[in-house]
Amino acid sequence: MNALQFIAWIFVHIAIPIFAPIALLPLLGIGRTYREHARGLVYSVVKDGQLFWPVIAMSAGATYELAGYLENASGWPRVIAWTALVFHVVLIIYSAVLVMLGAIDSLDRSDNKPASGALRIVLVSIVFTVLSALTFAIFHFVITGR
């Protein structure tokens, strides 16, 4: 695989799902309606667990590639692929539950009341995002050989 293909795959499958929604949020400040709410919006969205959505998308892509690979795999590569597939399914389930809990917590919180546990959900979402992105990229390049 040449460098351009590598960069393109990472950009389309990893960078866009993670950074496009975050990069687009500040655009709310352009219009008059949400201008006052645009400041600090990126942090508040990540704080409420919205970073779990890209984890779900990347893990779904990884499970698709791993399931395709399992059709022809045998021996230890098959065991590793099954383990990775189960890992990504678990990431999807945990991420779906945590994004729901973050959304529920954000509804229950008033603006002047500090968010308890917000740092914890931010850290977990970052860890899940990194794990999903790294394992998706590694298995893609191992499976496809490019």
Side-chain angles (χ1 to χ4, degrees), residues 10 13 20 24 26 39-40 55 67-68 80 87 112 121 130-131 135 142:
I10 293 291
H13 291 90
L24 294 175
R39 179 177 288 133
V55 173
I80 293 169
F87 171 75
N112 54 4
I121 200 161
V130 169
L131 282 173
T135 56
V142 167

Side-chain angles (χ1 to χ4, degrees), residues 18-33:
I18 295 172
F19 297 112
I22 293 171
L24 294 175
L25 285 172
L27 293 178
L28 286 173
I30 293 173
R32 282 182 277 147
T33 308

Side-chain angles (χ1 to χ4, degrees), residues 55-102:
V55 173
I56 293 169
M58 289 184 294
S59 290
T63 57
Y64 176 79
E65 286 199 19
L66 287 162
Y69 174 74
L70 282 169
E71 291 179 4
N72 300 320
S74 62
W76 278 105
R78 185 173 178 83
V79 172
I80 293 169
W82 268 111
T83 304
L85 188 121
V86 169
F87 171 75
H88 280 281
V89 169
V90 168
L91 271 182
I92 290 170
I93 293 168
Y94 280 8
S95 295
V97 169
L98 290 171
V99 78
M100 178 190 63
L101 292 175

